Amino acid sequence: MFSRRLDWNVSENRLAVAEAEARGRRGFIDLTVSNPTVVGLPDLGEEIRRAFGAAPMGTYVPSARGSEAARGAVAEDYRAKGIEVSPESLILTASTSESYSFIFKLLADAGDAVLVPAPSYPLFEYLARLEGVQPVPYRLSHGIDRRWHVDLSSVDEALARIDAAGGRVRAIVVVSPNHPTGSVLTTEDAAALDARCAPRGAALVADEVFADFVRWAGPSPVRCLAAHGTSALTFSLGGLSKSCGLPQLKLGWISVGGPAHAVRAALDRLELVADTYLSVNAATEGALPDLLRVGERFRAALRPRLAANEARLARLVGPGSSASVLPSEGGWSAIVRVPAVLSDEAWGLALLERDRVLIHPGFFFDLEGGTFLVVSLLPDEDIFAQGMERLVSRVEEIAAGQVDERDRGRER
């Protein structure tokens, strides 16, 4: 009786069950936290209340693209970062997830394909399939220069497979900085993807929600793909959730770039989609100019913490350690390679049940080529240090051959 869009195995995995049982226990440390409002950063509540108090709240004037003032505020926020984005090229949405939904509605018919990066968010499978679209992965590879790159050969292989099956690729998705790898899109990779999209009428979709948290980047990083002068129709996604630490206020945006005629046609159609739902909260939209300024304080508080936790991680997992840290250019996560004596899920269960530390196993993000644990850099510095010390201690114990039979029994 239900849609095949929801034909997933909804049973919980063992780590999720163990996590639910562990939460609330004394001494539990969550190194997966992604909610910036619960990690002890400065309370922005009073500033948020002032922003809403100053916003026009008494009347509702629906605007499918978003109000002129709100779009102007987003454009000015880009401009303050040295990026030129026209307010007329913007569409406001309720979230980045909704932005994906609108774009997939715009571009794809049922059964069409979109290429999505791996490793990356587990969310893409859901976002695409809920729109009747087929997500097809391409790989990010970790090169000899110790940086992540788009594996262009895997992109070409995916395109060839879809072409051979008579399918259509409607978009290639990039995430920059990527979660969890922290990799930042370069102009070279952007040009290579653009060259593959434009001839086949496919679009580029750039998820840039972590763009304000680039700690260091390789040569020629792309800061906003939609403003980069692409030949393919291009969409850059942003929002309040990550850039301003305000996930509870539910507002995102799409910036549209590429050839002028394609941009106009896309915006007209996105306006129709947005007008059908009118999902943007008018109060948040009205307060947006002030909320974007609140975001400056959030970023000023978070950046030193991310840097401090990354530095602590490097000290704990340094030369001589049985674990290692994969370099990251930005974002809120770090990837730790651990000995392959256990699967990543078994590592996660051992850490949770014996050390009361929750991590994400690498398979959550389709990490390949080793055994990996993914940790968040968001927690308070003391809490992060405690959790990582427990993790490193357990790694050294197990690497030394002290593998409890309970841990071996946790293998998938």
Side-chain angles (χ1 to χ4, degrees), residues 149-166:
H149 299 269
V150 174
D151 185 340
L152 293 172
S153 64
S154 77
V155 173
D156 291 336
E157 289 166 5
L159 292 172
R161 286 197 307 273
I162 296 165
D163 289 344

Side-chain angles (χ1 to χ4, degrees), residues 215 304-317 377 384:
R215 292 186 293 283
R305 176 181 292 187
L306 297 175
N309 284 342
E310 189 173 48
R312 176 65 68 108
L313 182 59
R315 290 195 297 273
L316 287 171
V317 187
L377 298 173
F384 181 81

Side-chain angles (χ1 to χ4, degrees), residues 197-215:
C197 286
R200 60 175 62 232
L204 282 168
V205 181
D207 185 329
E208 297 165 349
V209 297
F210 288 109
D212 287 316
F213 300 98
V214 175
R215 292 186 293 283

Side-chain angles (χ1 to χ4, degrees), residues 233-257:
L233 182 63
T234 303
F235 305 90
S236 284
L237 280 51
L240 291 181
S241 177
K242 304 299 189 298
S243 68
C244 297
L246 299 172
Q248 71 274 35
L249 299 186
K250 309 307 294 178
L251 192 138
W253 51 82
I254 304 168
S255 175
V256 187

